[in-house]
């Protein structure tokens, strides 16, 4: 059951950049094409632009620190720009279609936890209150998370890092931007410094600038930033917000789990907030399913904090040290902290501990370095029939093996033989065990007799470190 106090999905475009890892997750559940279709008008708007005004701006070269990657060697997915107000209806539709009890206009008023369940008091659109009893609760209730507060969970991080205003407006700018399909356009005008974000690339835009005089004439400022008196501007909303880094000190307590902004707030400079939240859900969903169906012990759920807290912290920290300067995105951080390679930030994170068997190998963050190290995302390798290794992963564990390796007949795990085992860091007799979230759980580079002996993952779960708080609360 999903409850949301608002009557419908977000009317604000907010997040737009759906990164390749999130698109891989959407591909896994079969909605990647629907998301691309929803973001359709922004297809091709992947480059940045900059100039004194929008009229004078030019597209910047698309650069990544290691040069232009061979995307087909990295991922079967394509990143997508799809504003949150267009994405959320797709997600809502798929949830309803697949049997989720979706209740808009319904507010969670209180939670009471016992040893074996949580009782939730809900107020529906008719004002009536009902109590629902459920084994687990996922708090996806945003940056100000009432549930996190009720649980008394503190947050750490770099705190507030500035103040900004988003001016969401409608204007037909098609003539002005026809030859520069931009994602973001940095405006360097002394009286209108800021940036435009394309929402549909035609008529809907966001202009972001530092917060200042609250009574400012926003239509006039936007016109200065556009650099043309002609367009008719309709201001749709003006939203003040504060970029900042706040990470909850624990991502779960008892039967309640924090995900998304409830767990980690980060500045938008790496476009990672919504992506990280969706990836939290992906990490947690299969664990809840396996525990609920009796396929795994409840201790599996402890790995959610062990894995997602460091991942959330790393992404929030990396988002905080990016300068936001589109001309100089990848070279310098605000305080000298090394910048992770942008692709490594999206795809290359290795969980330090959790529901996997470490083998001592580590993944670098200064470049994309995925060779099926336990705790990392499975490398994408094309299989003989043109599919990706990622496409072979279903809702249970999966073994990917070298051509000369086999599971004993008693093992009840699907096996796929891979023609390029070296891409997974194994030989012809080696094997890799992959979790339903496409994270490598175990790797055996070579077996002496070609027989794959799977590890006892339940024993491994006993080694998950207890939750420690990370610093002073904010
Ligand atoms: C300007 C801007 C640009 C951004 N750009 C990007 C980007 O390009 N890429 C990216 O990945 N992220 C981006 N983000 C971040 C992204 O928008 C957030 O990370 C994301 O919306 C968080 O989703 P969430 O579901 O965790 O929280 P929210 O979107 O805040 O949703 C929480 C929901 O919980 C509901 N709720 C709260 N309490 C209750 C209750 N008691 N009962 C019922 N419902 C309740 C609220 O009504 C709300 O709808 C951007 C953010 C901003 C501000």
């Amino acid at each position: 059951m999903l409850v949301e106090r608002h009557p419908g999905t977000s009317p604000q475009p907010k997040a737009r950049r759906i990164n390749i890892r999130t698109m891989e997750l959407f591909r896994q559940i079969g909605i990647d094409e629907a998301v691309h279709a929803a973001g359709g008008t922004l297809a091709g708007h992947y480059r940045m632009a900059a100039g004194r005004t929008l009229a004078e701006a030019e597209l910047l070269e698309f650069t990544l620190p290691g040069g232009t990657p061979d995307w087909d060697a990295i991922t079967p997915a394509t990143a997508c720009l799809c504003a949150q107000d267009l994405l959320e209806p797709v997600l809502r539709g798929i949830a309803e279609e697949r049997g989720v009890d979706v209740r808009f206009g319904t507010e969670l008023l209180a939670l009471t936890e016992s040893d074996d369940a949580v009782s939730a008091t809900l107020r529906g659109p008719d004002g009536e209150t009902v109590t629902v009893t459920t084994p687990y609760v996922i708090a996806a209730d945003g940056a100000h998370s009432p549930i996190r507060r009720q649980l008394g969970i503190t947050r750490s991080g770099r705190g507030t890092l500035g103040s900004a205003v988003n001016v969401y407006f409608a204007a037909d700018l098609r003539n002005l931007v026809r030859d520069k399909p931009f994602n973001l356009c940095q405006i360097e005008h002394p009286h209108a410094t800021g940036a435009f974000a394309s929402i549909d690339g035609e008529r809907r835009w966001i202009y972001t600038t530092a917060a200042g005089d609250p009574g400012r004439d926003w239509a006039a400022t936007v016109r200065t930033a556009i650099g043309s008196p002609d367009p008719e501007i309709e201001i749709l909303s003006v939203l003040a917000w504060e970029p900042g880094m706040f990470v909850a000190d624990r991502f779960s307590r008892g039967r309640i789990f924090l995900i998304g902004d409830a767990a980690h707030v980060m500045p938008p400079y790496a476009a990672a907030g919504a992506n990280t939240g969706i990836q939290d859900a992906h990490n947690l969903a299969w664990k809840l399913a396996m525990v609920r169906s009796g396929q795994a012990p409840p201790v599996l759920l402890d790995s959610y904090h062990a894995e997602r807290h460091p991942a959330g912290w790393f992404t929030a920290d990396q988002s905080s040290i990016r300068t936001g300067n589109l001309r100089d995105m990848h070279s310098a951080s605000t305080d000298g902290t090394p910048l992770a390679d942008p692709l490594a930030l999206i795809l290359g994170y290795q969980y330090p501990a959790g529901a996997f068997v470490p083998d001592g190998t580590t993944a670098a963050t200064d470049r994309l370095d995925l060779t099926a190290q336990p705790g990392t995302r499975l490398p994408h390798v094309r299989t003989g029939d043109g599919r990706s290794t990622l496409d072979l992963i279903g809702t249970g564990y999966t073994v990917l093996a070298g051509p000369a390796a086999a599971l004993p007949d008693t093992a009840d795990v699907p096996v796929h033989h891979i023609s390029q085992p070296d891409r997974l860091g194994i030989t012809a007799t080696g094997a890799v065990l992959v979790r339903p979230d496409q994270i490598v759980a175990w790797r055996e580079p070579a077996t002496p007799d070609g027989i794959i002996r799977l590890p006892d993952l339940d024993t491994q779960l006993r080694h998950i470190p207890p939750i420690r708080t990370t610093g002073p609360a904010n």
Side-chain angles (χ1 to χ4, degrees):
M1 177 191 291
L2 180 148
V3 301
E4 164 58 55
R5 66 181 168 206
H6 288 126
T9 50
S10 171
Q12 286 285 340
K14 296 201 287 185
R16 293 172 313 127
R17 186 150 189 84
I18 317 297
N19 69 31
I20 40 182
R21 181 61 189 142
T22 305
M23 289 307 292
E24 289 175 355
L25 312 190
F26 288 164
R27 177 184 169 95
Q28 194 185 21
I29 60 167
I31 62 164
D32 53 331
E33 285 176 15
V35 173
H36 276 298
T41 57
L42 286 185
H45 285 57
Y46 61 90
R47 282 171 68 182
M48 303 299 185
R52 205 178 79 94
T53 63
L54 184 60
E56 295 161 275
E58 293 182 346
L59 286 177
L60 303 174
E61 279 310 309
F62 176 77
T63 53
L64 284 172
T68 304
D70 174 3
W71 293 109
D72 195 52
I74 293 173
T75 176
T78 316
C80 175
L81 281 180
C82 178
Q84 205 165 321
D85 59 332
L86 303 177
L87 173 67
E88 287 190 5
V90 177
L91 300 180
R92 175 183 183 168
I94 201 83
E96 286 171 341
E97 201 181 296
R98 296 189 184 179
V100 179
D101 177 356
V102 177
R103 300 190 189 185
F104 278 81
T106 301
E107 185 169 10
L108 176 102
L109 298 178
L111 286 178
T112 318
E113 196 181 350
S114 65
D115 284 346
D116 53 7
V118 190
S119 287
T121 310
L122 309 177
R123 182 171 52 214
D126 53 6
E128 297 288 313
T129 59
V130 290
T131 301
V132 174
T133 301
T134 171
Y136 297 102
V137 168
I138 301 175
D141 52 351
H144 302 292
S145 177
I147 298 177
R148 188 189 63 240
R149 287 161 191 251
Q150 182 190 321
L151 296 176
I153 296 177
T154 51
R155 297 189 297 179
S156 302
R158 292 173 184 258
T160 302
L161 297 168
S163 55
V165 174
N166 271 14
V167 182
Y168 178 29
F169 68 98
D172 186 349
L173 302 182
R174 282 176 296 175
N175 284 340
L176 212 62
V177 302
R178 184 155 290 133
D179 58 342
K180 44 189 171 204
F182 64 86
N183 170 357
L184 295 170
C185 178
Q186 181 163 293
I187 300 300
E188 292 152 348
H189 192 291
H191 302 304
T193 311
F196 286 102
S198 296
I199 301 303
D200 66 3
E202 296 178 350
R203 293 183 175 81
R204 294 198 299 142
W205 314 90
I206 283 184
Y207 171 70
T208 302
T209 187
D213 169 16
R216 200 159 167 183
D217 179 347
W218 287 113
T221 305
V222 167
R223 209 167 273 120
T224 304
I226 290 173
S228 162
D230 299 335
E232 205 170 293
I233 290 165
E234 181 191 356
I235 303 290
L236 301 174
S237 68
V238 177
L239 177 76
W241 59 283
E242 291 182 334
M245 173 187 172
F246 298 94
V247 181
D249 291 322
R250 47 193 307 154
F251 280 17
S252 65
R253 172 158 275 160
R255 296 176 163 273
I256 303 170
F257 300 86
L258 306 183
I259 72 169
D261 280 14
H264 40 65
V265 175
M266 58 191 79
Y269 309 134
N275 287 293
T276 310
I278 292 166
Q279 291 160 27
D280 295 336
H282 188 245
N283 181 287
L284 181 58
W286 71 272
K287 295 175 181 174
L288 283 171
M290 281 204 176
V291 171
R292 289 285 291 142
S293 64
Q295 291 170 274
V299 67
L300 176 62
L301 298 173
D302 291 354
S303 70
Y304 173 67
H305 170 91
E307 295 177 353
R308 294 309 297 171
H309 179 270
W313 181 279
F314 181 68
T315 312
D317 199 48
Q318 283 287 321
S319 298
S320 303
I321 59 173
R322 281 167 157 68
T323 62
N325 183 349
L326 301 183
R327 290 190 188 272
D328 189 21
M329 283 170 70
H330 304 304
S331 57
S333 71
T334 51
D335 67 354
T337 306
L339 287 180
D341 173 83
L343 282 175
L345 184 60
I346 292 170
L347 290 177
Y349 187 77
Q350 181 176 27
Y351 294 135
F356 59 89
V357 186
D359 68 359
T361 53
T362 53
T365 55
D366 62 351
R367 63 186 191 284
L368 188 60
D369 172 33
L370 292 180
T371 54
Q373 302 94 328
T376 61
R377 180 281 228 158
L378 175 71
H380 151 71
V381 182
R382 288 278 173 207
T383 58
D385 58 5
R387 286 191 294 167
S388 163
T389 40
L390 297 172
D391 297 335
L392 305 177
I393 310 307
T395 53
Y397 287 96
T398 305
V399 170
L400 303 186
L407 274 176
D409 290 344
T410 48
D412 185 21
V413 183
V415 187
H416 297 274
H417 287 98
I418 302 296
S419 58
Q420 302 173 60
D422 54 310
R423 294 280 310 276
L424 307 185
I426 57 173
T427 64
T429 62
V432 165
L433 180 68
V434 188
R435 311 185 327 192
D437 59 356
Q438 303 172 337
I439 298 293
V440 174
W442 169 82
R443 181 174 62 167
E444 185 75 278
T447 53
D449 50 6
I451 306 291
I452 305 164
R453 290 170 189 83
L454 295 176
D456 176 1
L457 290 173
D458 292 356
T459 305
Q460 183 61 33
L461 294 173
R462 285 197 226 112
H463 300 299
I464 292 176
I467 297 179
R468 274 191 218 101
T469 53
T470 41
N474 280 284

